[in-house]
Amino acid sequence: MKNTLRVERAIKNITQAELAEAIGVSRQTINTIESNKYVPSTVLALKIARVFNKPVEAIFELEEGD
């Protein structure tokens, strides 16, 4: 699964730490999601989408083979 989390953060001008605090996870969790090393749970993906006021599909996208 790929994501546009880094781009969304840049648009909203927030750090990994600020996003992490807003959704209740560590900064390292945000880093691993952005690096495509970790796929967030549905609940976490929904929380992230809520911060950016966008649908989950606008931030996370399945890749072929997922």
Side-chain angles (χ1 to χ4, degrees), residues 2-48:
K2 61 184 178 178
N3 67 75
T4 60
L5 196 49
R6 187 170 282 126
V7 173
E8 297 297 339
R9 278 194 315 99
I11 291 168
K12 196 160 179 160
N13 196 29
I14 61 173
T15 66
Q16 287 181 343
E18 290 168 334
L19 177 57
E21 185 176 331
I23 61 174
V25 298
S26 70
R27 184 200 60 78
Q28 290 84 355
T29 298
I30 301 302
N31 183 272
T32 58
I33 294 170
E34 286 184 1
S35 302
N36 295 316
K37 295 177 184 172
Y38 174 71
V39 175
S41 68
T42 305
V43 171
L44 188 52
L46 287 166
K47 286 181 179 182
I48 291 169

Side-chain angles (χ1 to χ4, degrees), residues 37-65:
K37 295 177 184 172
Y38 174 71
V39 175
S41 68
T42 305
V43 171
L44 188 52
L46 287 166
K47 286 181 179 182
I48 291 169
R50 185 186 304 158
V51 168
F52 297 109
N53 198 28
K54 292 190 172 189
V56 173
E57 297 88 350
I59 299 170
F60 298 97
E61 183 180 333
L62 287 175
E63 295 181 282
E64 197 167 317

